Each structure stands twice: as structure tokens, then as C-alpha cells.
Amino acid sequence: MVSIFSPLKKNIKTILIIISLLVLEAYFTLQLPEYTSNIVDIGVANGDIAYIYSAGTTMMMFTILALITGILVSFFHVNSLQNIHKP
């Protein structure tokens, strides 16, 4: 009997890369609310414009990194599916 997981054995490295990229993407995305609350609690409360700009820049960096990891996940996912369906 053929296992449904047998085609995945060829792509185990790609699958591990996809899982690690998904974890990174989740981390980057979940950091955004913390920085938003810090902007309000620290920056706005103290009137610290430099902190607001710094935290905002960090938020933009996390957003760009989440976008890049999402694109890489899609790329590796499509490539692994193409390799599974090759005759």
C-alpha cells in the first residue's frame, strides 16, 4: 500500500524551510501590536517624538520582513508541489 506521505520524503528540507518561515512570519506579525501599544504608552504619553519614529520604523521593518517571508513561503510551497507532481 502506498502511503500518502511517501512523496513528501523527497521534499523534507523544503517542508522544514516552509515551517520555519511560517514561524518567522507569525513572529514578525505578532510583534506589531506590541510596538503599537508601546508607541501609545511610551511615545504619546511622554511626548517623545523620537521614540515614536523609532518604533514606527521598527514596525515598518517587521512588516516588510513579514511580507518577504510570506513571499518565500509561497515560492517554496509552489516548488515543492511541482516536485511532488512530476512523473
Side-chain angles (χ1 to χ4, degrees), residues 2 14 83:
V2 177
T14 306
N83 290 336

Side-chain angles (χ1 to χ4, degrees), residues 3 6 12-13 18 21 24 48 68 71 78:
S3 173
S6 61
I12 193 70
K13 290 180 185 177
I18 290 170
L21 285 172
L24 274 175
D48 190 0
I68 291 170
I71 291 170
V78 168

Side-chain angles (χ1 to χ4, degrees), residues 15-81:
I15 292 169
L16 292 175
I17 289 172
I18 290 170
I19 291 171
S20 62
L21 285 172
L22 284 171
V23 168
L24 274 175
E25 183 181 7
Y27 172 76
F28 294 144
T29 305
L30 290 174
Q31 289 300 310
L32 296 176
E34 182 178 340
Y35 278 97
T36 304
S37 69
N38 286 344
I39 286 174
V40 172
D41 294 341
I42 298 169
V44 174
N46 297 334
D48 190 0
I49 299 296
Y51 180 80
I52 294 172
Y53 283 136
S54 173
T57 304
T58 305
M59 286 178 68
M60 285 191 290
M61 180 191 68
F62 278 136
T63 303
I64 291 169
L65 288 172
L67 175 70
I68 291 170
T69 54
I71 291 170
L72 287 173
V73 165
S74 298
F75 174 77
F76 283 117
H77 181 250
V78 168
N79 282 339
S80 67
L81 285 177

